[in-house]
Amino acid sequence: MRKIKIWDLATRLFHWSLVVAFVLAAYSAFEDKFGMYADMHLYSGIAVLILISWRIIWGLIGSDTARFSHFVKSPAAAIRAFGSLVRREPYSEVGHNPLGGYAVILMLVLLLIQPVLGLFSSDDMFFEGPLVSAVDGSLSNRATEIHELLGLFLIGFTIFHVVMIMVYALLKRVDLVRPMITGRAYKPDTEDQPVVRSQILAFILLLVVGSGVCLSVF
């Protein structure tokens, strides 16, 4: 076994920044959205939109383990990964396994839809999304309803994600959290070191995406 780099710095910062932004958005969703909580909900939602937009692009051009082509496999591969979990076989994947890959795609899609809906949502009292005036009232009401339901689903899905991390820790003795902090994990000597793309490129891309989202929204 040798320690190799699994996750690049940009992907790790994305992950933990998304955790913070999502927690703030979820927390403020249950508060009366005026003053501080209105600002918290708006800007954390914009942050989620920027981060997810960046991650989708990085999933196409980024480091090996961040690329969708690395972890999005056939349904049969995902079933085999589930069977491996049930049988408590050693975890040998570098990065996401095929089962986790489908969860990642689902989470990215839903976390992209959620803030977009929020841009057109209104609680008819204190809070309006910055683009609510671009659609008629019925569409805004529908967007608000879906935004609220999807928010509850995402909270539940996040809890499920945490539970699965604990399951892997208990059943396979695999720590999935530490590599997302340090970027490194022990893997068999036969595993090649994943290619890491330029982190400067990653942060330039984030700047471009962030600027584009902000100019489109505000």
Side-chain angles (χ1 to χ4, degrees), residues 88 163-174:
R88 303 188 185 185
V163 169
M164 288 305 298
I165 290 174
M166 296 171 63
V167 167
Y168 269 88
L170 293 173
L171 295 186
K172 290 201 167 192
R173 299 293 189 269
V174 174

Side-chain angles (χ1 to χ4, degrees), residues 33-44:
K33 286 185 280 299
F34 60 90
M36 179 183 73
Y37 293 115
D39 290 341
M40 182 186 297
H41 197 68
L42 172 62
Y43 292 115
S44 59

Side-chain angles (χ1 to χ4, degrees), residues 22 26-27 29-30 149-161:
F22 180 79
Y27 172 73
F30 293 97
L149 291 174
L150 184 54
L152 294 174
F153 177 83
L154 281 167
I155 291 172
F157 194 80
T158 300
I159 294 172
F160 172 74
H161 174 64

Side-chain angles (χ1 to χ4, degrees), residues 184-202:
R184 299 181 179 276
Y186 284 101
K187 294 297 177 182
D189 291 335
T190 53
E191 292 287 353
D192 293 330
Q193 169 73 55
V195 175
V196 176
R197 291 295 303 274
S198 168
Q199 299 302 279
I200 295 177
L201 171 64

